[in-house]
């Protein structure tokens, strides 16, 4: 399972006064089991890009290729959404059914799962996002808390068993606890279930902590696609395009400035903590 | 969804854009009166000329006006068909079975069609060249002059401005929800009418939920800022007539008077 984007550009409202080029000459490919972080300043085209990956938007020029097939020419929408799942920003707004079970079952039903398959996948997906199936299945999603609604919505996409899961700011608007829980489940999906993840986020720490590779967008262009270590190595360059490095790295850089000898190439929260413990411990 | 022109503002720097909203509303009303009083072909020609002039002075591309006609195309067609079939008089042009088409019918139908299109086009120019705030402001000021609307002028205009303000928001919301459901394999295009109507449920439910939520939040936010209706409320931007408006009024009324005087237009009885 792979996605290849070739020479893709997208222009909104082509040929009107509102014409706006949102993406320009995007080229990349993503392999199975990858965990990719996507970062970029607001309005740089992240959401526009992901909508191309399951055929919601058609490229103005260029193509999107999944498993060797151009999705806009050789794949009906149903076949695409079976493979590529998208969780949009604030996905709780997509909930509409009377019960959690029915809502999560909506997707698999649409793409032709059998009754047994649906039952199985709904149970699995609800449990994958950390909810108790028997407890929530008959509850109305509208009676749940914000964080729970978000999980139900994610489960609704997971239930279609996509091989690639794209999430647009899945943790925005959640409390820190809810944030780290949701991200933990997403990480588990990648490591244990083997789903390829594309995570759009404006939180550098989230991307640094989980992604194997990072795409950096600026003004509709893909300016960098590299390991987080490489991407977060140049603070000035990131700041120029309105981004920054993870907080954990900022702490290390600050310590270094104060003359404490820490390894500033680290960028993950847990690595930074260990490094600080090492240095402090070493001084005793 | 984004095809709708009414309620959409087309930004440009033009004579029409700079007119006071009250002038635009009054002249649009006068124009509508005009086209329903037209008696002869000359009258229609003058009405059309007026439209062309208004478009030119507003710098709005013609295709936006045409786009605005699309949603009413059905009503116009229906009006034309009904008029052709129901009007009897003049020569019998042709008949297919029980359907008889008379010359009079074709003329009446053509008149109705042209009138409706002129009406929608001018209204489009007004809404395209006026921001919604100005538009509702203008309406409020005009309604205050009408005795029986005087007391509710502010409320009506506030309701209108909120409704207009939320059209694009709701369109965006619909678009977003639709995309989310499409990503879950929802199919809005195939099936019979019943299936299609049922397929709308996954869009309508979340749309209504969020619309009610928004309405509640807005009401709360307005109360939190001590909104108490129009009484004692002053305006930050007070509408002011300029020389431009005088020119527009004079041209408008002069034409109207001349047409009435020369008998090209008049009361239809
Ligand atoms: N439906 C649309 N019509 C016109 N312009 C749009 C539309 N959606 C997004 N844009 C514009 O395209 C650019 C990229 O938007 P988006 O992909 O949402 O950015 P991001 O998700 O990175 O914040 C923005 O400048 C935005 O204003
Ligand atoms: Mg976005």
């Amino acid at each position: 399972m792979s996605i290849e984007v070739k020479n893709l550009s997208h222009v909104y409202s082509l040929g009107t006064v509102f014409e706006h080029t949102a993406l320009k000459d995007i080229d990349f490919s993503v392999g199975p089991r990858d965990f990719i972080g996507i970062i970029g300043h607001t309005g740089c085209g992240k959401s526009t890009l992901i909508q191309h990956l399951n055929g919601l938007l058609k490229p103005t020029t260029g193509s999107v290729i999944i498993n060797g097939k151009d999705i806009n020419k050789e794949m009906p929408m149903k076949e695409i959404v079976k493979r590529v799942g998208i969780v949009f920003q604030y996905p709780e707004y997509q909930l509409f059914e009377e019960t959690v079970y029915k809502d999560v079952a909506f997707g698999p039903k649409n793409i032709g799962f059998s009754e047994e398959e649906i039952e199985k996948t709904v149970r699995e997906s609800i449990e994958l996002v950390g909810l108790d199936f028997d407890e929530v299945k008959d509850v109305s999603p509208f009676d749940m808390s914000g964080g729970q609604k978000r999980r139900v919505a994610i489960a609704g996409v997971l239930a279609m068993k996509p091989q690639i899961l794209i999430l647009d700011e899945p943790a925005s608007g959640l409390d820190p606890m809810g944030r780290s829980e949701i991200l933990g489940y997403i990480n588990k999906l990648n490591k244990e279930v083997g789903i390829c993840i594309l995570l759009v986020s404006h939180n550098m720490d989230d991307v640094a902590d989980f992604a194997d590779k990072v795409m950096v967008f600026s003004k509709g262009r893909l300016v960098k696609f590299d390991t987080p270590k490489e991407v977060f190595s140049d603070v000035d360059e990131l700041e120029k395009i309105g981004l920054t490095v993870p907080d954990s790295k900022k702490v290390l850089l600050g310590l270094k400035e104060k003359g404490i000898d820490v390894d500033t190439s680290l960028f993950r929260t847990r690595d930074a903590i260990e490094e600080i413990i090492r240095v402090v411990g070493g001084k005793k | 969804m984004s095809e709708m022109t009414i309620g959409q503002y087309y930004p440009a720097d033009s004579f029409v854009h700079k007119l006071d909203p009250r002038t635009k509303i009054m002249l649009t009303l006068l124009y509508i009166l005009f086209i329903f009083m037209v008696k002869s072909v000359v009258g229609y020609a003058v009405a059309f000329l007026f439209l062309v002039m208004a478009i030119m002075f507003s710098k709005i591309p013609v295709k936006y006006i045409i786009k605005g006609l699309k949603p009413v195309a059905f009503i116009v067609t229906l009006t034309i068909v009904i008029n052709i079939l129901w009007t009897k008089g003049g020569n019998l042009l042709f008949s297919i079975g029980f359907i008889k088409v008379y010359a009079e019918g074709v003329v009446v139908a053509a008149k109705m069609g042209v009138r409706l299109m002129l009406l929608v086009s001018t209204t489009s120019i007004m809404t395209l060249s006026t921001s919604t705030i100005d538009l509702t402001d203008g309406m409020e000021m005009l309604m205050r002059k009408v005795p029986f609307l005087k007391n509710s002028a502010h409320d009506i205009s506030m309701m209108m401005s909120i409704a207009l303000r939320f059209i694009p928001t709701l369109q965006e919301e619909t678009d977003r929800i639709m995309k989310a459901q499409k990503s879950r394999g929802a199919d809005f295009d195939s099936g019979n009418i019943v299936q299609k109507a049922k397929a709308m449920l996954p869009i309508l439910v979340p749309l209504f939920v969020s619309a009610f939520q928004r309405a509640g939040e807005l009401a709360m936010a307005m109360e939190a800022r001590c909104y108490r209706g129009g009484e004692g409320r002053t305006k930050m931007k007070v509408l002011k007539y300029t020389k431009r408006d005088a020119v527009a009024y004079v041209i408008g009324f002069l034409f109207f008077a001349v047409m009435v005087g020369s008998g090209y237009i008049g009361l239809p009885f």
Side-chain angles (χ1 to χ4, degrees):
Chain A
M1 190 72 189
S2 67
I3 289 195
E4 230 178 303
V5 168
K6 278 192 185 162
N7 203 10
L8 181 144
S9 297
H10 189 85
V11 183
Y12 280 111
S13 317
L14 191 64
T16 69
V17 268
F18 303 106
E19 187 170 309
H20 179 81
T21 305
L23 288 174
K24 212 160 162 43
D25 304 328
I26 309 293
D27 264 294
F28 65 82
S29 69
V30 172
R33 290 177 171 265
D34 281 351
F35 195 130
I36 312 271
I38 301 179
I39 56 175
H41 198 258
T42 307
C44 70
K46 304 179 298 286
S47 302
T48 307
L49 173 75
I50 62 171
Q51 289 172 47
H52 280 87
L53 303 183
N54 81 342
L56 284 174
L57 288 177
K58 305 272 175 258
T60 309
T61 59
S63 50
V64 178
I65 292 158
I66 294 179
N67 287 347
K69 281 188 180 168
D70 185 332
I71 62 166
N72 292 304
K73 291 189 183 132
E74 308 171 58
M75 243 191 228
M77 193 72 188
K78 283 225 160 103
E79 292 301 310
I80 306 172
V81 299
K82 260 185 207 173
R83 294 175 172 78
V84 183
I86 298 190
V87 176
F88 286 96
Q89 207 169 0
Y90 301 108
E92 49 274 25
Y93 285 117
Q94 75 194 31
L95 301 172
F96 72 100
E97 278 285 13
E98 298 145 62
T99 67
V100 168
Y101 183 93
K102 279 192 192 168
D103 207 283
V104 176
F106 179 67
K109 208 180 212 163
N110 283 332
I111 55 172
F113 278 31
S114 72
E115 215 46 63
E116 296 93 75
E117 280 174 314
I118 292 177
E119 173 129 24
K120 188 159 164 280
T121 188
V122 170
R123 179 183 284 273
E124 282 172 6
S125 315
I126 290 179
E127 280 170 2
L128 272 174
V129 294
L131 293 171
D132 185 319
F133 176 79
D134 294 306
E135 225 170 72
V136 299
K137 69 180 197 312
D138 297 319
V139 175
S140 160
F142 296 105
D143 290 338
M144 297 178 116
S145 76
Q148 282 178 316
K149 276 187 198 164
R150 177 87 46 106
R151 290 177 195 206
V152 172
I154 295 176
V157 176
L158 274 182
M160 297 162 77
K161 296 199 173 288
Q163 287 140 298
I164 297 173
L165 183 66
I166 304 170
L167 303 109
D168 197 348
E169 303 274 4
S172 67
L174 294 183
D175 56 282
M177 188 76 162
R179 271 191 95 80
S180 70
E181 271 180 21
I182 290 262
L183 289 163
Y185 292 121
I186 293 167
N187 192 41
K188 222 165 86 183
L189 287 172
N190 177 252
K191 301 290 167 323
E192 290 172 20
V193 192
I195 299 176
C196 167
I197 304 278
L198 270 67
L199 173 70
V200 176
S201 178
H202 61 243
N203 187 311
M204 299 302 137
D205 289 272
D206 294 348
V207 171
D209 285 350
F210 298 108
D212 307 317
K213 282 181 93 183
V214 179
M215 290 185 195
V216 184
F217 281 84
S218 174
K219 295 182 183 150
R221 287 178 187 273
L222 177 57
V223 291
K224 209 164 203 182
F225 186 20
D226 214 324
T227 59
K229 185 172 177 146
E230 187 56 39
V231 166
F232 293 125
S233 66
D234 196 337
V235 189
D236 295 336
E237 203 183 311
L238 282 173
E239 282 180 353
K240 241 187 260 165
I241 55 173
L243 299 174
T244 177
V245 293
D247 286 343
S248 51
K249 180 149 188 158
K250 278 185 195 158
V251 171
L252 292 178
L253 287 169
L255 288 173
K256 182 93 178 182
E257 215 166 86
K258 290 263 185 303
I260 299 164
D261 187 27
V262 289
D263 178 2
T264 54
S265 71
L266 299 172
F267 52 88
R268 292 201 162 103
T269 314
R270 53 184 181 279
D271 294 344
I273 293 171
E274 267 174 31
E275 176 70 3
I276 292 167
I277 291 173
R278 183 187 68 79
V279 172
V280 174
K283 267 189 181 168
K284 265 184 188 169
Chain B
M1 260 319 193
S2 51
E3 296 275 299
M4 238 169 74
T5 328
I6 292 183
Q8 200 186 48
Y9 178 59
Y10 179 92
D13 182 20
S14 78
F15 180 81
V16 176
H17 279 77
K18 284 192 209 132
L19 284 177
D20 189 288
R22 286 170 295 179
T23 313
K24 286 187 257 192
I25 297 168
M26 286 308 287
L27 287 181
T28 305
L29 289 177
L30 185 73
Y31 186 84
I32 292 170
L33 193 68
F34 186 106
I35 52 180
F36 279 96
M37 286 167 68
V38 164
K39 275 181 163 169
S40 68
V41 180
V42 179
Y44 282 108
V46 171
F48 187 72
L49 193 78
F50 238 89
L51 180 68
V52 172
M53 252 171 56
I55 294 175
M56 271 166 50
F57 281 111
S58 69
K59 295 189 186 161
I60 296 170
V62 178
K63 72 173 181 193
Y64 277 83
I65 315 280
I66 294 173
K67 232 166 88 179
L69 284 172
K70 261 192 213 161
V72 291
F74 174 73
I75 298 171
V76 174
T77 318
L78 194 74
T79 315
I80 291 177
V81 169
I82 288 177
N83 274 296
I84 286 189
L85 297 183
W86 261 259
T87 315
K88 311 237 179 296
N91 296 328
L92 180 66
L93 291 182
F94 62 89
S95 58
I96 311 164
F98 64 94
I99 299 172
K100 295 187 169 50
V101 175
Y102 294 91
E104 185 85 353
V106 174
V107 172
V108 171
K111 274 186 190 165
M112 269 330 272
V114 170
R115 272 178 189 165
L116 276 175
M117 284 195 288
L118 290 175
L119 189 146
V120 175
S121 303
T122 16
T123 317
S124 292
I125 294 175
M126 179 179 76
T127 53
L128 280 166
S129 69
T130 320
S131 69
T132 48
I133 293 184
D134 282 346
L135 201 61
T136 47
D137 241 18
M139 290 204 181
E140 181 177 345
M141 296 319 281
L142 290 174
M143 280 188 291
R144 280 196 196 171
K145 300 269 187 291
V146 185
F148 64 93
L149 283 178
K150 214 172 154 182
N151 294 323
S152 41
H154 174 79
D155 298 334
I156 295 173
S157 87
M158 180 57 88
M159 279 193 279
M160 261 187 331
S161 60
I162 290 175
L164 287 173
R165 156 68 186 77
F166 276 99
I167 289 176
T169 310
L170 287 178
Q171 278 177 350
E172 252 165 54
E173 192 94 6
T174 312
D175 191 52
R176 254 180 42 188
I177 296 168
M178 211 154 164
K179 279 177 173 165
Q181 308 301 28
K182 267 190 186 165
S183 300
R184 296 210 279 164
D187 183 357
F188 305 115
D189 305 318
S190 51
N192 59 32
I193 290 188
V194 179
Q195 283 165 329
K196 269 189 190 163
K198 252 176 121 177
M200 293 307 287
L201 222 59
I203 298 177
L204 292 179
V205 174
L207 192 62
F208 272 91
V209 169
S210 86
F212 279 118
Q213 211 171 323
R214 267 179 213 285
E217 279 165 13
L218 181 67
M220 199 92 88
M222 286 168 83
E223 284 200 344
R225 283 181 278 172
C226 304
Y227 177 74
R228 290 277 176 278
E231 212 172 313
R233 197 175 160 85
T234 54
K235 298 250 176 226
M236 189 166 118
K237 226 179 92 190
V238 180
L239 292 178
K240 253 203 214 122
Y241 281 124
T242 62
K243 231 156 86 188
R244 227 178 268 119
D245 299 294
V247 171
Y249 269 121
V250 168
I251 294 178
F253 277 98
L254 211 64
F255 250 100
F256 192 74
V258 169
M259 295 307 278
V260 172
S262 54
Y264 287 123
I265 67 169
L267 295 175
F269 36 79

